[in-house]
Amino acid sequence: MSDGRELLPPDFARRMVNWARWKDGGAGHVAISSIYEGDGRNEYREASIPLLIGEAQDTDDAIEALPARYQYPIRQVWLYLGRPSAWHARIRGIDYRTWDGWVRQGHQLLQQGIARRTIVANTLRVTRETVERAA
């Protein structure tokens, strides 16, 4: 049995990784300018993955809105990505099947919550644009 992360939509998984990076303090050191990076040699570097702060904050708000039973598992699974369910369950003092169930249910509720928030935000945006055009 698994916690179902491999079945999550790719965009949702990307969103959760972005949230975990934000919770962990972001992408690390960011220089003011590229001239301050590296040791001055002109060599190719891999571009850093951008951190979507607004999306991460929205995700954090959606996690906070989850029932308490599901908040902890969702946070732990993404902040300690790669750890097996048995490890998480052992720390919590529960069976790994219970842990997996909480994670799957938490992901389902979280996706529904994010979808609701998106609908509300889009409705407000359209309403605002309509009012601005009328003025």
Side-chain angles (χ1 to χ4, degrees), residues 35-108:
I35 65 169
Y36 297 109
E37 292 179 354
D39 57 3
R41 285 185 277 159
N42 197 11
E43 57 188 48
Y44 290 102
R45 289 184 294 276
E46 187 173 326
S48 62
I49 299 170
L51 184 61
L52 305 174
I53 295 170
E55 178 184 80
Q57 290 170 337
D58 290 344
T59 303
D60 197 51
D61 291 343
I63 291 171
E64 287 291 322
L66 289 173
R69 168 183 284 177
Y70 304 114
Q71 288 181 22
Y72 178 81
I74 294 300
R75 285 189 188 112
Q76 292 303 103
V77 159
W78 291 101
L79 292 174
Y80 296 96
L81 199 56
R83 298 283 186 154
S85 294
W87 182 83
H88 290 290
R90 189 172 46 251
I91 289 174
R92 191 71 171 172
I94 58 174
D95 186 71
Y96 75 93
R97 290 170 291 230
T98 302
W99 175 265
D100 287 347
W102 287 354
V103 171
R104 279 193 307 278
Q105 183 66 30
H107 280 139
Q108 184 178 14

